Amino acid sequence: MSKFSKEDIIRMVREGDVEFIRMQFTDIFGQLKNVAITSSQIEKAVNNQIMIDGSSIEGFVRIHESDQYLRPDLDSYAVLPWRPQTGKVARLICDVYNPDGTPFIGDPRGALKRVLQKALSMGYTFNVGPECEFFLFQTDEKGLPTTRTADEAGYFDLGPLDHGESTRREICMALEQMGFEIEASHHEVAAGQHEVDFKYAEALTAADNIMTFKLAVKSLAQKNGLHATFMPKPVFGINGSGMHTNMSLFRDGKNAFADPGDPRGLSKEAYSFIAGLLAHVRAMAAVTNPLVNSYKRLVPGYEAPCYLAWSASNRSALIRIPAARGQATRVELRCPDPSCNPYLAIALCLAAGLDGIEKGLTPPAEITENIFAMDEAARAARGIENLPGTLKDAVDLMCADPLITSTLGGHIVSQYTAGKYAEWEAYRTHVSQWEVEKYLLTF
Ligand code: GLU
Ligand code: MG
């Protein structure tokens, strides 16, 4: 059941002193896009008549087939609290459609909807709770971002050490005004690093929420003269930022991952879901960890995963089962980082898990020891594989996995891989400061 009708939206805009409505969508590389319309256009907007030129959007369409229509998800209506409160700005999250009324195959939100439909046909709904980490950095005299922070705090520290406290407070309050339920916020391990956790939601809403979250964090940081970044590893030698993704399947209102009769309290579906994730996670990495820089986070020593293993307790494993059971039973995948396109990342997680269930896969034995303390031989003896080490390896692996490519669809795969190979090539041929320092004098 929808929360809002077209009439509700028109009334809220007219009576709520709303001047602008941002019609938002996400490109395939995870960038939030919008076209702002004035309130006089709201009837057109709710009747799906707002057109965009898709040829200018990364990964969308070619110039000769560029007209696309935005179909707002009416339930996503929200006022942006960080914009002026007279002549307000609201937003509507939209699906992208072709002129002939069919969904555009390159719309990431549509890709997630397709997998959710598949889950539904198997009797499941899918809940996702992300843990987004980010850094707040200072800006320079020109207002440009730096990687400096005056904040010396660490895990769970508080002010006056924690210089991000006020910005975090404003982020939490703004998101609550937009309907988020904020569960916790805290300083993270690294100086200048923070985490804000919001309540899990049905997967499509969770992906929308991640996009809203990133916009809120960046906008409010900027208001306070700071730069917020979701770059996975902005500073060498300290922790990077992850987006641990907690997932559960529900059937008839009950958590399908819970089974009180099992020694670990997990159902057969939960085990198969874990096995499906492990079978495809290397091929998913190009999406869950989409940047050259993502692979600099996935190294030993910084609480980020590197090896394919699961555990009911151990944080060194890629997949962890948090202690809560019953309706809160969930699988936590620790590799995604917050630079990913959440629609595509969540679509792939679900597709991989469902594949495990359909095939009745069983996961390898649980690893309870600290994997970071094992050497390569010890890991090999236990059959523990590595996550890909570079973006290039990840994209190669993605192309070789038919489940992953068919879930994304040919259009997204070709646009995505072309973009990512180009990004890799630009990086590979760049001469970095590290090389100059390492070789210039010696050779
Ligand atoms: N920042 C760590 C990561 O890169 C995670 C720290 C934590 O356990 O919250 O995944
Ligand atoms: Mg954390």
Side-chain angles (χ1 to χ4, degrees):
M1 257 293 279
S2 301
K3 196 165 60 168
F4 299 134
S5 66
K6 289 181 191 179
E7 293 68 35
D8 289 334
I9 303 290
I10 295 168
R11 187 176 35 77
M12 285 189 287
V13 166
R14 299 231 163 108
E15 293 174 8
D17 186 20
V18 171
E19 275 297 330
F20 296 95
I21 301 97
R22 294 186 180 197
M23 306 289 282
Q24 295 182 344
F25 56 96
T26 298
D27 75 12
I28 70 168
F29 298 108
Q31 285 302 315
L32 186 65
K33 300 281 170 185
N34 78 184
V35 53
I37 58 165
T38 55
S39 55
S40 63
Q41 305 298 303
I42 190 61
E43 287 196 21
K44 242 174 103 182
V46 296
N47 286 309
N48 308 327
Q49 286 164 1
I50 300 295
M51 204 181 74
I52 56 160
D53 171 6
S55 65
S56 310
I57 311 290
E58 280 260 52
F60 270 31
V61 284
R62 288 182 300 266
I63 200 123
H64 60 272
E65 48 181 30
S66 56
D67 288 349
Q68 292 174 317
Y69 286 85
L70 298 179
R71 291 200 179 186
D73 184 333
L74 302 182
D75 288 352
S76 71
Y77 180 85
V79 170
L80 302 182
W82 54 88
R83 300 294 297 147
Q85 291 307 294
T86 46
K88 293 177 191 167
V89 180
R91 70 96 201 267
L92 283 165
I93 297 174
C94 304
D95 292 314
V96 183
Y97 271 68
N98 300 313
D100 67 3
T102 53
F104 168 50
I105 192 78
D107 177 15
R109 201 169 188 264
L112 174 55
K113 280 184 160 181
R114 288 195 294 277
V115 194
L116 290 170
Q117 200 52 48
K118 173 171 182 178
L120 209 55
S121 72
M122 293 168 71
Y124 299 117
T125 54
F126 188 46
N127 286 334
V128 175
E131 302 169 27
C132 293
E133 296 175 335
F134 59 93
F135 280 82
L136 291 175
F137 287 127
Q138 293 173 334
T139 49
D140 65 14
E141 330 51 71
K142 291 188 190 134
L144 297 172
T146 71
T147 52
R148 286 194 307 272
T149 168
D151 162 313
E152 296 285 319
Y155 199 54
F156 280 9
D157 273 341
L158 58 167
L161 272 183
D162 172 2
H163 289 238
E165 214 169 45
S166 318
T167 303
R168 255 191 356 250
R169 171 189 148 87
E170 287 171 29
I171 292 166
C172 293
M173 292 195 328
L175 289 170
E176 288 205 319
Q177 279 180 49
M178 295 182 78
F180 279 56
E181 186 175 330
I182 303 293
E183 292 189 326
S185 72
H186 61 88
H187 198 286
E188 254 300 339
V189 173
Q193 193 185 26
H194 305 270
E195 177 173 324
V196 176
D197 298 326
F198 43 90
K199 192 174 184 228
Y200 74 86
E202 181 280 321
L204 189 66
T205 306
D208 288 343
N209 284 350
I210 294 168
M211 295 308 297
T212 304
F213 177 77
K214 291 202 264 192
L215 180 68
V217 169
K218 283 188 170 277
S219 304
L220 288 158
Q222 192 183 44
K223 269 200 151 170
N224 291 341
L226 296 168
H227 176 73
T229 184
F230 293 92
M231 179 178 174
K233 186 83 172 187
V235 181
F236 169 72
I238 60 173
N239 270 24
S241 293
M243 190 183 80
H244 301 174
T245 304
N246 293 270
M247 300 174 268
S248 55
L249 286 175
F250 272 64
R251 181 193 278 280
D252 302 328
K254 282 219 181 77
N255 189 319
F257 284 173
D259 178 0
D262 174 73
R264 291 193 193 85
L266 298 177
S267 69
K268 194 169 169 302
E269 278 128 306
Y271 288 114
S272 290
F273 194 94
I274 294 167
L277 281 176
L278 287 172
H280 297 288
V281 74
R282 283 158 49 81
M284 289 156 48
V287 169
T288 54
N289 305 82
L291 307 183
V292 163
N293 182 257
S294 296
Y295 296 84
K296 303 195 173 176
R297 165 178 166 254
L298 302 175
V299 297
Y302 301 100
E303 298 182 89
C306 315
Y307 310 114
L308 270 62
W310 75 278
S311 168
S313 53
N314 179 359
R315 281 190 156 75
S316 69
L318 171 67
I319 296 174
R320 191 174 77 94
I321 316 299
R325 287 292 180 272
Q327 289 293 80
T329 310
R330 59 191 188 268
V331 169
E332 175 191 347
L333 182 68
R334 294 171 65 83
C335 59
D337 73 52
S339 67
C340 72
N341 179 325
Y343 299 100
L344 299 182
I346 293 172
L348 293 186
C349 289
L350 178 57
L354 292 180
D355 189 51
I357 292 176
E358 276 187 319
K359 294 191 174 135
L361 301 181
T362 45
E366 175 183 1
I367 302 289
T368 49
E369 306 92 304
N370 181 359
I371 309 169
F372 294 124
M374 295 181 191
D375 61 15
E376 207 179 323
R379 290 196 305 274
R382 307 287 295 271
I384 302 174
E385 283 184 288
N386 292 7
L387 281 170
T390 65
L391 180 62
K392 161 81 167 62
D393 291 350
V395 182
D396 289 346
L397 285 161
M398 170 172 153
C399 293
D401 185 325
L403 177 85
I404 299 306
T405 52
S406 64
T407 301
L408 296 173
H411 179 96
I412 293 182
V413 171
S414 63
Q415 298 288 325
Y416 196 84
T417 53
K420 290 299 159 184
Y421 278 133
E423 186 175 336
W424 175 256
E425 204 48 24
Y427 170 69
R428 193 184 68 82
T429 53
H430 177 76
V431 178
S432 70
Q433 196 53 33
W434 182 89
E435 289 162 276
V436 174
E437 280 165 23
K438 178 97 179 151
Y439 305 129
L440 191 64
L441 201 63
T442 323
F443 295 96

